[in-house]
Amino acid sequence: MNLMLEVKNLKTGFDIEGEIYHAVDDVSFSVKKRQIVGVVGESGCGKSVMSLSIMQLLPKGIGQITGGEIKFRGENIEGHTNDEMNKIRGKEISMIFQEPMTSLNPVFTIGFQIVEILLNHSNITKPEARNKAIELLKNVGIPRPEKIVDEYPHQLSGGMRQRVMIAISIACQPKLLIADEPTTALDVTVQAQILELLKSIQKKNDMSVLLITHDLGVVAEMCDEVIIMYAGKIVEKTSVDNLFYNPQHPYTKLLMASIPRIDVEVNELTTIQGIVPSLKNMPKSGCRFVERCPSAKPECSTVTPLLANVGYEHEVSCLLYEGCYPREGMR
Amino acid sequence: MNDTTIKYEKENLLEVKNLKTYYPIKGGFLRKTVGHVKAVDNVSFSIKNGETLGLVGESGCGKSTTGRTILRLLDSTEGQILFKGQDITKLQGKSLREIRKDIQMIFQDPYASLNPMQMVGSVVSEPIMNFQKKSLASLKNEVIELLRKVGLPEDAYYKYAHEFSGGQRQRIGIARALALRPKLIVADEPVSALDVSVQSQVLNLLKELQDEFNLTFLFIAHDLSVVKHMSDRIAVMYLGNIVEIAEKESIYEEPKHPYTQALISAIPIPDPRKKSNRIILKGDVPSPANPPQGCPFHPRCPQAMAECSLSKPLLKEVKSGHRVACHLY
């Protein structure tokens, strides 16, 4: 049982004025045991919606999974009831959000919020849970945990709050951690601390991590494999080394070239023309990157490319590659 | 052109001397001032004509307060801001209005800094109408010319801010800042709200405009890679103080201050084959309301000595053009 998470043909749609628009469209990938998989993309590419779909935390009545499978340790959890999901969320799969300021409840103490999840998922008494909470706070590098446990979120700095979030998310030793931009709201020196912490916990707990980020530096440092998303679809899936040394999709190449780098001096940055199409204006067929793509061919706007292997563990979805043409009968 | 113009053309466009900006902390029943947040504490630097000075630091270090004090959006507590040789800290009324033409700002948040009820044309023409009497037709032509310069279509004139994406909105903000042909632009985190692919478009635009209009930038940002790309010289701030200031090459190749070293080493390098020798700092930035004695960085400094907790180091030149505030030198 090497696969921790397997997502197959996942489609998540949003109901806008009676019509369903897909923010995540036919996405398949897997996360192996002890692996850190990065999901990279610009805002609106569907990376957060995808993680909320896995957790089944989509806003009710607006967002819904319209197709596909989500397998966690071999079991399909798509379609689980809320009660069933509650047993998994926090215990087996847990999540860290971007905003440490808004994801903690301001009216409860730090201790209460950690104890809550411990009592929910394991058979221990309150005093035991409190001791465990203090220990968890110590493990995530919070000074004076005996005091902090009785403090409120507003008394802590952003970095400290993110540490508390991590303490909550690892309280039940989950098998899979979904971290949605865990360091985006933090300063670089604090970001370095938090990434280091996440890495050491991942090693210690044998955890798999799905790390959602837009920072390619964070990806290079943390991940084993990377998924590049654009407008709800996966455009490239490969190892970290391939991503940086052998990117194949035109979007990936441009993305890599458009970031200013501290170690390389350039006069003018590469830019990607135009902007990401909005959900409503998404092209119905063809490649979604076609309008901004410098290597677009005429058929790119009519033929939807498949995600196909172009090398060892390297998948790309682009018509520049023969294998990405849909097979006859599927067009 | 008279004599004085020529004199400051050669010298510094902006010179900040021992600037302090404190925010009062009010407390108690009578709301008396019980202390001060020393957001900017004795900061000095200068910017030459046509140069870009990058101001970096973590949140709460006082970089935005410095920018806003220079714009006279905040009042300084002490010190001087010399713009073209004239101290602008005490200017009032008409003379202050005059100076506002020459110093403009680009804001961080392209969503919050544009009035949703105003058409783009009126957003960009407002500063011009404020200072110049112009016929409507020539005003419109000028605005459309500005919109074209920042890469927006002509019909943007009649649209509202919400019809644009983040990057385009930032272009509107840039057009507004350019409208009066200022000498100095304070850009406070102009790209931090944008996606990488759009960020590079805006950064390129700012560089082009700088060449075309001979602009001088105070470029405030927390992203060191962006600052490096944009700046000629860089000042690093920590807790209201400038701890190091130098040409960008020296800052990145041989950072002297332990804080700068840690800051630069903390940037994740987008290259999996390069392993960084990271200096991980302990703890958080102390509160500027109650800064530590001596060097503001000493409680977190890996190289702190006994002296560091006693006296505050001053900015000293350690190499030509490279100044550091640290007792190690």
Side-chain angles (χ1 to χ4, degrees):
Chain A
M1 197 62 248
N2 202 15
L3 284 185
M4 196 49 78
L5 177 76
E6 219 182 335
V7 174
K8 273 189 189 159
N9 307 99
L10 179 71
K11 280 184 153 197
T12 303
F14 283 90
D15 191 334
I16 306 171
E17 290 157 11
E19 209 170 322
I20 303 280
Y21 295 94
H22 284 101
V24 174
D25 200 355
D26 208 4
V27 163
S28 307
F29 67 94
S30 58
V31 182
K32 297 195 188 86
K33 211 171 175 179
R34 284 189 288 275
Q35 200 179 33
I36 304 186
V37 175
V39 182
V40 180
E42 300 177 86
S43 38
C45 74
K47 52 196 195 305
S48 290
V49 173
M50 185 184 76
S51 59
L52 291 178
S53 305
I54 296 168
M55 292 296 269
Q56 298 185 26
L57 288 172
L58 292 163
K60 283 233 161 52
I62 306 165
Q64 58 191 26
I65 298 175
T66 55
E69 272 180 15
I70 300 165
K71 279 186 173 171
F72 177 68
R73 305 173 87 190
E75 183 197 358
N76 189 3
I77 57 170
E78 203 282 302
H80 267 31
T81 62
N82 216 5
D83 280 348
E84 286 170 318
M85 276 312 287
N86 276 343
K87 293 203 182 87
I88 295 173
R89 281 195 290 249
K91 187 166 198 281
E92 306 282 344
I93 312 177
S94 66
M95 190 158 176
I96 309 174
F97 298 91
Q98 172 173 1
E99 281 284 333
M101 318 291 162
T102 52
S103 40
L104 289 168
N105 191 331
V107 299
F108 292 111
T109 61
I110 302 292
F112 180 91
Q113 299 184 52
I114 306 178
V115 165
E116 186 185 17
I117 187 170
L118 288 168
L119 291 178
N120 260 338
H121 290 297
S122 47
N123 263 330
I124 51 173
T125 62
K126 268 191 180 168
E128 277 169 359
R130 189 186 150 86
N131 286 336
K132 181 93 193 284
I134 293 173
E135 197 192 309
L136 279 164
L137 288 175
K138 208 163 112 196
N139 290 345
V140 294
I142 285 184
R144 304 175 290 118
E146 313 77 23
K147 281 197 78 182
I148 300 282
V149 78
D150 292 318
E151 286 186 3
Y152 290 87
H154 74 264
Q155 293 169 284
L156 304 179
S157 67
M160 284 296 181
R161 280 183 237 191
Q162 201 58 301
R163 284 174 194 266
V164 171
M165 278 303 295
I166 293 175
I168 293 175
S169 65
I170 60 160
C172 296
Q173 304 205 334
K175 306 286 182 307
L176 174 68
L177 179 71
I178 301 177
D180 189 354
E181 306 263 10
T183 56
T184 307
L186 307 174
D187 282 315
V188 279
T189 59
V190 182
Q191 163 171 296
Q193 296 170 352
I194 297 289
L195 292 179
E196 201 79 355
L197 173 68
L198 273 177
K199 241 184 184 169
S200 75
I201 292 172
Q202 184 257 341
K203 285 219 176 77
K204 210 172 85 194
N205 290 4
D206 271 346
M207 206 164 52
S208 308
V209 179
L210 189 63
L211 180 69
I212 295 162
T213 180
H214 66 274
D215 187 334
L216 289 161
V218 172
V219 169
E221 212 128 287
M222 297 286 290
C223 300
D224 306 310
E225 273 190 26
V226 194
I227 296 165
I228 310 283
M229 284 184 81
Y230 183 79
K233 286 201 178 273
I234 293 179
V235 294
E236 187 157 0
K237 186 159 71 175
T238 183
S239 69
V240 155
D241 202 73
N242 266 339
L243 173 73
F244 287 91
Y245 285 96
N246 188 21
Q248 296 296 329
H249 197 284
Y251 174 66
T252 319
K253 288 182 188 167
L254 285 171
L255 193 68
M256 306 295 292
S258 63
I259 40 170
R261 289 175 59 154
I262 201 114
D263 50 344
V264 184
E265 186 76 28
V266 287
N267 242 333
E268 196 175 338
L269 294 169
T270 310
T271 60
I272 308 179
Q273 292 307 314
I275 51 163
V276 186
S278 70
L279 263 189
K280 278 185 162 177
N281 303 326
M282 205 60 84
K284 291 273 181 290
S285 65
C287 172
R288 295 185 169 182
F289 188 56
V290 60
E291 285 189 1
R292 307 176 72 189
C293 183
S295 1
K297 304 185 284 185
E299 64 256 45
C300 288
S301 44
T302 51
V303 182
T304 312
L306 300 172
L307 193 63
N309 265 318
V310 295
Y312 178 67
E313 294 200 338
H314 195 158
E315 290 173 51
V316 175
S317 164
C318 176
L319 292 184
L320 293 176
Y321 300 91
E322 203 46 47
C324 298
Y325 278 89
R327 281 161 294 256
E328 281 309 314
M330 277 180 70
R331 259 182 223 200
Chain B
M1 229 184 243
N2 56 30
D3 286 343
T4 43
T5 353
I6 295 160
K7 201 176 124 224
Y8 37 71
E9 209 82 324
K10 287 178 198 149
E11 287 174 8
N12 296 326
L13 181 70
L14 181 81
E15 219 168 301
V16 175
K17 285 184 179 166
N18 305 98
L19 184 71
K20 292 182 181 176
T21 308
Y22 292 175
Y23 297 107
I25 307 168
K26 309 259 184 192
F29 177 62
L30 292 170
R31 314 295 297 159
K32 275 190 193 146
T33 303
V34 293
H36 285 101
V37 175
K38 297 176 179 174
V40 178
D41 201 7
N42 212 351
V43 160
S44 306
F45 61 86
S46 59
I47 311 181
K48 289 194 208 77
N49 226 329
E51 186 187 46
T52 301
L53 177 74
L55 196 55
V56 291
E58 298 179 272
S59 40
C61 73
K63 53 191 193 304
S64 289
T65 304
T66 308
R68 282 163 188 261
T69 311
I70 290 167
L71 283 155
R72 286 293 313 272
L73 295 175
L74 290 169
D75 281 325
S76 55
T77 312
E78 248 182 78
Q80 286 178 310
I81 302 167
L82 302 176
F83 181 73
K84 298 204 283 190
Q86 179 195 11
D87 186 4
I88 60 167
T89 49
K90 298 288 181 298
L91 291 185
Q92 289 295 338
K94 225 178 167 182
S95 42
L96 179 61
R97 254 176 71 84
E98 280 303 303
I99 221 74
R100 292 230 191 270
K101 273 198 297 201
D102 290 337
I103 313 179
Q104 289 284 320
M105 182 166 192
I106 299 171
F107 294 91
Q108 170 173 13
D109 189 337
Y111 295 88
S113 58
L114 296 173
N115 186 340
M117 312 288 280
Q118 255 181 328
M119 278 190 300
V120 168
S122 109
V123 168
V124 180
S125 54
E126 203 173 345
I128 306 174
M129 288 200 306
N130 238 330
F131 286 98
Q132 295 160 14
K133 285 222 166 8
K134 276 208 166 136
S135 71
L136 278 179
S138 71
L139 184 64
K140 190 183 166 190
N141 281 340
E142 193 177 336
V143 170
I144 286 179
E145 178 62 24
L146 273 166
L147 291 175
R148 212 179 47 76
K149 280 251 149 58
V150 298
L152 287 170
E154 207 171 292
D155 63 352
Y157 191 91
Y158 291 110
K159 287 187 176 170
Y160 290 91
H162 72 87
E163 296 174 74
F164 295 93
S165 67
Q168 287 174 312
R169 284 180 207 215
Q170 202 55 296
R171 289 172 193 265
I172 300 170
I174 293 170
R176 173 175 61 186
L178 277 179
L180 290 165
R181 306 292 142 114
K183 303 275 185 307
L184 175 70
I185 290 188
V186 177
D188 191 356
E189 303 266 11
V191 295
S192 63
L194 306 176
D195 272 317
V196 277
S197 73
V198 180
Q199 170 180 302
S200 55
Q201 294 172 4
V202 172
L203 291 178
N204 284 345
L205 173 69
L206 286 174
K207 277 200 153 179
E208 278 166 38
L209 294 172
Q210 175 167 36
D211 290 342
E212 188 173 344
F213 296 102
N214 186 29
L215 295 170
T216 306
F217 276 116
L218 177 63
F219 192 91
I220 302 171
H222 70 279
D223 185 327
L224 290 123
S225 330
V226 169
V227 170
K228 185 188 179 204
H229 179 71
M230 291 300 291
S231 312
D232 301 309
R233 283 189 309 136
I234 290 171
V236 181
M237 276 188 88
Y238 186 77
L239 215 62
N241 295 268
I242 289 184
V243 295
E244 185 160 3
I245 182 166
E247 301 283 324
K248 78 167 163 196
E249 287 81 18
S250 337
I251 285 268
Y252 285 94
E253 271 148 37
E254 31 174 348
K256 302 278 190 204
H257 198 283
Y259 176 64
T260 317
Q261 289 168 359
L263 197 64
I264 288 171
S265 82
I267 309 165
I269 296 172
D271 187 341
R273 291 184 196 170
K274 276 188 196 160
K275 284 284 157 253
S276 56
N277 301 314
R278 179 150 302 161
I279 308 165
I280 300 241
L281 291 178
K282 296 230 158 37
D284 282 316
V285 183
S287 155
N290 188 16
Q293 287 284 314
C295 171
F297 185 58
H298 87 264
R300 299 175 77 196
C301 182
Q303 300 175 54
M305 308 172 290
E307 195 188 351
C308 298
S309 56
L310 300 172
S311 70
K312 189 168 166 177
L314 297 172
L315 266 181
K316 281 181 300 235
E317 189 144 48
V318 291
K319 229 179 64 182
S320 154
H322 195 141
R323 291 191 295 154
V324 187
C326 180
H327 287 307
L328 290 172
Y329 302 97

